[in-house]
């Protein structure tokens, strides 16, 4: 099932991309507990921010939730072929901690080259097991034409 990131009309101004991302993730995964949802939102925002900062923008964002074994997979495609690397963060720097945060919150993460279309897909899997499981979803949360 494919859905747009935000349904907006003339009476409703379009939200900035990261706000749209948080809104759509929150709607799609509303049944998760606040801790799991917070982890998913933080990782999704970090992946999309990196796509904008280093990959020319997010070409597509996918969110997949499976209740068994209770995992959420976030995939962000961009046009840059260079793979991200974790670098040591310094307390006096404002930036540069996103992949450190991602590495701590995600059970696993990685990069898949996309030779047919160019660029890459950076993905992360977060465990969300427990009584708060939501129905299985496989959603493209990219607004076509953005990013």
């Amino acid at each position: 099932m494919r859905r747009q990131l935000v349904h907006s009309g003339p009476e409703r101004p379009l939200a900035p991309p990261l706000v749209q991302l948080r809104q759509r993730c929150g709607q799609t995964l509303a049944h998760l507990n606040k801790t799991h949802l917070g982890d998913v939102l933080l990782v999704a925002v970090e992946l999309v921010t990196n796509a904008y900062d280093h990959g020319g923008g997010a070409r597509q964002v996918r969110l997949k939730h499976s209740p068994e074994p209770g995992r959420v997979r976030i995939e962000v495609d961009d046009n840059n072929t260079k793979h991200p690397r974790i670098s040591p963060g310094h307390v006096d720097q404002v930036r540069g901690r996103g992949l450190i945060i991602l590495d701590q919150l995600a059970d696993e993460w990685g990069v898949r080259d996309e030779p047919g279309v160019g660029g890459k897909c950076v993905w992360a899997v977060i465990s969300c097991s427990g009584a708060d499981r939501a129905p299985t979803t496989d959603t493209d949360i990219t607004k076509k034409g953005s990013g």
Side-chain angles (χ1 to χ4, degrees):
M1 172 191 293
R2 297 198 179 254
R3 298 179 186 170
Q4 283 191 332
L5 191 56
V6 169
H7 302 283
S8 61
E11 73 286 349
R12 184 174 170 191
L14 188 62
L18 291 178
V19 172
Q20 294 176 47
L21 174 72
R22 290 178 61 84
Q23 289 170 344
R24 191 68 189 133
C25 285
Q27 292 167 0
T28 302
L29 299 172
H31 294 92
L32 293 180
N33 72 30
K34 289 181 182 181
T35 300
H36 291 151
L37 182 58
D39 290 350
V40 170
L41 290 174
L42 184 53
V43 168
V45 166
E46 287 298 334
L47 289 176
V48 170
T49 298
N50 281 351
Y52 275 90
D53 285 349
H54 307 290
R59 188 174 60 234
Q60 190 171 41
V61 178
R62 289 175 300 281
L63 183 68
K64 300 175 182 181
H65 180 262
S66 176
E68 294 298 333
R71 297 163 58 105
V72 174
R73 181 179 176 100
I74 305 152
E75 299 179 347
V76 178
D77 300 345
D78 67 42
N79 293 317
N80 190 340
T81 57
K82 186 176 178 184
H83 288 210
R85 293 186 341 253
I86 296 178
S87 59
H90 294 83
V91 292
D92 58 340
Q93 292 179 336
V94 177
R95 301 177 48 106
R97 294 182 194 88
L99 288 179
I100 295 171
I101 293 168
L102 168 69
D103 193 55
Q104 292 297 309
L105 292 177
D107 294 310
E108 54 186 303
W109 70 276
V111 182
R112 179 179 68 240
D113 291 322
E114 306 232 330
V117 293
K120 66 183 175 297
C121 172
V122 182
W123 56 268
V125 176
I126 299 171
S127 177
C128 297
S129 58
D132 56 323
R133 294 181 183 157
T136 300
T137 58
D138 184 354
T139 306
D140 177 349
I141 58 173
T142 306
K143 179 179 171 137
K144 299 300 178 199
S146 68

